[in-house]
Amino acid sequence: MYMGESDRATVLVVEDEAPLVEIYARWLEGPYRVRTAQNGPEALDRFDGDVDVVLLDRLMPGMSGDEVLEAIEETGHNPRTAMVTAVEPDFDIVQMGFDDYLTKPIDREELISTVERLISRDSFAELELEYYSLVEKQAALQSTKSVEELERSEEYAGLKTRIETLKGELDAVMPEVDDGDLVAMVRDIEADAGSGVRDDGTRGEDGGADRP
């Protein structure tokens, strides 16, 4: 973990509810440098290339989290980004450039483990980053949509196809990665995504999503 001052990663918390800003900052301070913002313009003012992770509320007055995410992408910097929001994921997330999606309320363990997981991906190649981002989106959608809704969605069909394509490309360029290790990584992502759906369209009680 980031014990030395020079080694600590920087996390930008963007949240319009002041109590949540204080809570998230308190949970993260120590292991990480923490910057906070309570609206979109303030977030962009406090964002720079030193920010490693952005925790971004999606539903904010004035400038939405979606708009903040687009503005960050336009800077040319590429932090790992997690949406931390009360808005349940819909199929529009397929085209969005975030790495993880957390639905409020979240607890301290979930927030910290998400930041740790995102930081661990700094050394990943571009294919790996895209693959895990898409698997996170797949798990998020599986946690809120019925099987019927998923089957009707063209966006979800495209998402599944892209995941399968990336899996094949990763197998080709990273033969040293054992399939079992890759499956374990994906299952960790799914477990963090919350309750999944079963083949009959009901929520799974064990908290796991359907496997990709």
Side-chain angles (χ1 to χ4, degrees):
M1 187 55 65
Y2 298 86
M3 300 303 293
E5 178 69 22
S6 61
D7 295 329
R8 292 191 301 163
T10 298
V11 180
L12 174 60
V13 177
V14 186
E15 167 62 58
D16 68 330
E17 297 184 37
L20 284 180
V21 172
E22 295 176 7
I23 291 171
Y24 295 164
R26 185 167 66 249
W27 288 348
L28 296 169
E29 283 172 348
Y32 307 107
R33 297 188 184 97
V34 179
R35 303 178 187 180
T36 62
Q38 289 187 236
N39 55 60
E42 191 174 66
L44 296 178
D45 184 58
R46 297 186 179 180
F47 174 81
D48 57 32
D50 293 331
V51 173
D52 300 286
V53 173
V54 179
L55 301 177
L56 181 58
D57 185 14
R58 188 173 185 186
L59 189 60
M60 296 186 293
M63 188 178 192
S64 71
D66 295 12
E67 293 171 319
V68 173
L69 182 60
E70 291 178 2
I72 287 176
E73 292 173 343
E74 291 173 0
T75 68
H77 300 300
N78 189 30
R80 306 277 71 79
T81 303
M83 289 292 193
V84 185
T85 177
V87 180
E88 287 196 347
D90 206 343
F91 293 109
D92 62 340
I93 71 171
V94 172
Q95 301 301 323
M96 296 176 65
F98 61 80
D99 301 281
D100 207 340
Y101 199 101
L102 305 180
T103 303
K104 298 176 184 176
I106 61 172
D107 59 24
R108 181 178 184 274
E109 182 179 355
E110 184 178 12
L111 189 75
I112 292 175
S113 65
T114 296
V115 172
E116 290 175 346
R117 184 170 65 249
L118 293 178
I119 289 174
S120 73
R121 295 180 190 172
D122 279 348
S123 61
F124 283 14
E126 185 174 343
L127 281 179
E128 292 173 284
L129 288 173
E130 183 182 359
Y131 178 79
Y132 287 114
S133 173
L134 295 183
V135 170
E136 296 278 10
K137 293 173 181 178
Q138 182 184 47
L141 289 171
Q142 288 174 341
S143 73
T144 59
K145 301 294 185 182
S146 69
V147 170
E148 290 75 13
E149 288 176 305
L150 296 175
E151 290 177 345
R152 288 197 302 266
S153 170
E154 293 183 5
E155 295 94 336
Y156 186 74
L159 175 66
K160 287 180 61 178
T161 299
R162 182 58 179 160
I163 288 173
E164 293 168 0
T165 299
L166 286 171
K167 174 62 167 59
E169 293 178 4
L170 286 170
D171 286 343
V173 301
M174 299 175 62
E176 70 278 6
V177 177
D178 183 75
D179 279 348
D181 293 337
L182 190 58
V183 168
M185 293 178 190
V186 172
R187 287 181 176 173
D188 284 344
I189 290 172
E190 293 173 337
D192 288 334
S195 297
V197 290
R198 294 175 174 160
D199 290 340
D200 61 1
T202 62
R203 303 296 177 192
E205 294 181 358
D206 60 357
D210 291 346
R211 306 301 179 211

